[in-house]
Each structure stands twice: as structure tokens, then as C-alpha cells.
Amino acid sequence: MPVDAAPGSPTDLQELDRRLVQEVTSVHRRLIAERRVELGRIAPEALTLMDSLERYLDGGKLLRPRFCFFGGLAAQDGAPDDAQISALARCGAAIELVQAAALMHDDVIDHSPTRRGRPALHVEQATDHRERGMSGSSDDFGVAVAIVLGDLTLSWAEQLFSEGLGEGAAARRSRAEFDALRTEVMCGQYLDILHQAGGLGPDGARSLGEGAVESGTTPEEAAALQVIRWKTVPYTVLRPVRIGAALMGADDAALDLLSRWAIEVGTAFQLRDDLLSVVGDEDHTGKPTGGDIIEGKRTVLLARTVAEADETGIALLQRTVGVPSANLADVHAVHELMVSTGAVASVSRDVAARAQAAQDLLAGATELGELGRAGLSALAGQATDTASLPA
């Protein structure tokens, strides 16, 4: 999705965004071509993995590479040169590989049937197993392939990020941010698994920082926010922005400001994503509407619904949420309950409030580069858009 043109500089942002997408796509194509040769030498059967990865990377919105790119531009004045565009694009392409690996594994963990409007990787591979009449469990085969390709993709992300990074202070600092990204998202994934099992403690807000959670927030909601802070925020917005900014030489003050902005945007992004699972357009999201209800995802939206539901509503939630065999009428009824309790509207207001707080931070950050600020502002608008959500 192209970044909208900022007033006064439409050509600059549009052209820069086009260049970024072109460069990231080129990096991915080169990587796939090189890995085809490498895997072909090992075993021709392994080439099917590259076919799957190529399909998986097709159709992504490249949100994270864009945050990395415009975070880099925010650290400098004026337009970037060709070498800087290439360096930021390579880092962005590596981040996108981390994203792909995380989604391959996440879909297995969540038993998600689709991704980007197509069968999830483990489902695709299970179907292939059945159609080819191979022995053993098709489902187990699909899960195993998704784990293996996810691991390979994560390994290739590490290799790609290191290519041509250099040894200067900015490169080392950017590398440290990339290392933190991978650690935080995996730890966040563990917290999500723990939370789904009811094992995340009642002091889940502890690591979010003073003032991050309002007084009166239920322990369940605080835990859900903790998962967002460490699973979604770091690898979606915070670390990509900091990776780009660090690579372009940002100082501590700039990185701190961008971090505060990114936490607001990243949190709003996930809250909005949770809403879209319930009230979104399936054709737009590429995921089945109501999927979080059937999977039993312990979101902020669900926590607020539980807090406001009456006995009848609680009974409905207990027989529907997290029950794969739940009937569609009950799933729809839970959807309606989330609306009628005010939970959907409440979370939607939070998305808008965090998005506005982020825009206010950026508007006052005149020390950051103008092109970078304009690009980040446009990206934040797209990632936190609430126009189609209930007021």
C-alpha cells in the first residue's frame, strides 16, 4: 500500500515508497534465487520449500520495511541517496523474513486455517500431502513443514541482515536492535501462549511502565496488553523504526522519541487488528471474521466483554469462545455481545486515542527529518485507521 503524499512534497514520498518496495522485492527475489541453487544442491525435493516461501512473501503489505525505511529518514535531513535506500531496504527485507517466519509458526500455534486470503502454510502442505497420497498424518506433515520452513526463513533473515552491514558504530547499533527484535517477538509469543493457557500472572502490567495501564483495568486486560507490548509492538513498529533510525545515525534522544511514538502506534495497531477479527471485512483482512472467537484469543476486546457481560452473556461466552465446534449462531451472538456491552466501541476509542497521541508526538518532533516524519505519519494513519470501526 503506497504511502500517501504529504502536502507540499507528493512526488518525494511516493517516489521514495516506490523505490523501497522495488528494492525490497528485488532483495527477496535474489535471496530466493540463491537459496534455490543452495537447496537444489542438497536435494531437488527441497525446492518445494522455496516455492512455498515465494508464495508466502507475495502479497505482503511490507508495513515493517516501511517503518524501518521512514524511521531511517527521520534520523536525517533531506532525501536519502541510493546507497542509503539500498541499506534500509535490505534491513527491511530481513525484517519481513522474520515476519514471515513468525506467521508460519503463529498459524500453527493458533490453528489458523488462512493467511492473506489463502490457506495457511501448514494447511497448504497438509492438502498437498493428502493429494499426493503420502503416508502418515497429513496434518502432522503440514505442521512439520511449517516449522522447518519457518526456522529456515528466520535463519535466512539473520544472514540477509548481516550482508554488507559494515562495522561502524551505527551498523553495530542497528544490529543490536535487530537482535532485540527477534528476542522480544519470541518472548512475546511465549507470553501469548502462557496467557492463552491462563498462566500469565495478575501483575501482567508490571513491565509496561508507569501509566501504561489505567487504574481499574482488570488483570485479564492487563495481561493482554502485556502480550501486545512484547509480541506485536517490538517487531511491527518499535524495532523496525529504531533499526532504520540507528542505521542512519540517530542519537539517543531521537531514538527515545521514536520509541514512545512506536509504542502508541504498535499498541493501536494490534487493538485494531483484534477488532477487525470480529467486525472486519473478511475479504480485506484475509482472515475469517470471528476467528479470534473460535480460537479463544484472550484479547483486550474479550476481557472488556467479560467484564461487562451479564450471567446470560457469560454463559454464551463459556460455550462459544475457544470451542472449535461452536455453532455459527453462537459465534454471531458473541459478536453481538461484544458490540452491545460497549467493548467494541471502547476498544475502538482506545485505538483512536493512541493514534492521536502518536500523531501529536510526531507533530512536535521538529528535530526529526521532514520526509521521515511525513512517511511515519502516513504509515501510522494506515495502521490505525478506525474509519470503518464502530464509534
Side-chain angles (χ1 to χ4, degrees), residues 69-274:
F69 183 69
F70 286 104
L73 297 197
Q76 65 174 45
D77 292 324
D81 59 30
D82 289 346
Q84 290 172 324
I85 292 174
S86 294
L88 288 168
R90 186 179 61 252
C91 290
I95 295 168
E96 191 70 5
L97 289 179
V98 175
Q99 153 81 343
L103 292 181
M104 291 174 194
H105 290 170
D106 199 45
D107 286 343
V108 169
I109 293 168
D110 292 342
H111 308 288
S112 298
T114 61
R115 172 64 60 182
R116 294 171 179 166
R118 299 190 294 260
L121 178 62
H122 66 285
V123 174
E124 169 198 281
Q125 292 296 321
T127 299
D128 183 60
H129 180 280
R130 280 190 291 270
E131 290 177 349
R132 293 169 62 185
M134 292 190 284
S135 62
S137 165
S138 295
D139 290 341
D140 288 350
F141 178 84
V143 167
V145 173
I147 292 171
V148 169
L149 185 53
D151 288 347
L152 270 174
T153 303
L154 189 60
S155 174
W156 292 334
E158 156 69 19
Q159 294 174 35
L160 178 60
F161 191 89
S162 300
E163 286 180 7
L165 190 61
E167 296 295 333
R172 289 193 298 272
R173 199 167 194 182
S174 184
R175 175 53 190 260
E177 296 290 338
F178 184 67
D179 291 343
L181 179 153
R182 288 174 294 146
T183 297
E184 288 168 353
V185 70
M186 296 307 171
C187 188
Q189 181 69 276
Y190 170 69
L191 292 177
D192 191 15
I193 295 167
L194 190 64
H195 183 40
Q196 286 300 111
L200 198 55
D203 59 343
R206 180 177 54 193
S207 63
L208 299 180
E210 186 177 353
V213 178
E214 295 180 3
S215 60
T217 299
T218 65
E220 184 73 12
E221 180 175 334
L225 285 168
Q226 186 188 25
V227 171
I228 290 174
R229 173 62 183 86
W230 295 113
K231 181 181 177 183
T232 302
V233 171
Y235 93 113
T236 301
V237 189
L238 177 63
R239 295 301 175 184
V241 167
R242 285 180 62 101
I243 286 168
L247 189 62
M248 294 297 106
D251 60 20
D252 289 341
L255 289 172
D256 178 67
L257 192 156
L258 288 169
S259 294
R260 287 184 282 124
W261 174 85
I263 290 170
E264 296 289 356
V265 174
T267 304
F269 171 82
Q270 184 59 57
L271 291 174
R272 175 179 177 269
D273 194 61
D274 293 341

Side-chain angles (χ1 to χ4, degrees), residues 217-218 220-221 224 271 274-275 278-279 292-293 297-318 320-321 330-348 350:
T217 299
T218 65
E220 184 73 12
E221 180 175 334
L271 291 174
D274 293 341
L275 285 171
V278 176
V279 299
D292 281 3
I293 295 173
K297 296 292 290 183
R298 296 187 173 208
T299 61
V300 171
L301 177 61
L302 179 60
R304 292 187 183 179
T305 303
V306 171
E308 297 298 327
D310 59 17
E311 289 185 6
T312 301
I314 293 296
L316 170 67
L317 293 169
Q318 288 175 338
T320 309
V321 176
D330 279 348
V331 172
H332 182 71
V334 170
H335 173 177
E336 294 299 321
L337 181 66
M338 288 176 163
V339 174
S340 65
T341 56
V344 167
S346 171
V347 175
S348 183
D350 280 2

Side-chain angles (χ1 to χ4, degrees), residues 38 154 197 283 320 376:
E38 183 180 11
L154 189 60
D283 291 335
T320 309
L376 290 176

Side-chain angles (χ1 to χ4, degrees), residues 11-49:
T11 305
D12 290 339
L13 276 189
Q14 288 180 336
E15 175 60 19
L16 284 168
D17 187 72
R18 186 193 67 80
R19 282 284 308 277
L20 172 68
V21 172
Q22 185 180 58
E23 291 268 356
V24 170
T25 302
S26 177
V27 170
H28 283 161
R29 286 175 178 168
R30 186 176 69 249
L31 178 139
I32 287 172
E34 291 172 351
R35 296 298 177 256
R36 280 189 186 279
V37 173
E38 183 180 11
L39 266 61
R41 284 198 296 262
I42 296 171
E45 293 86 353
L47 292 176
T48 60
L49 293 173

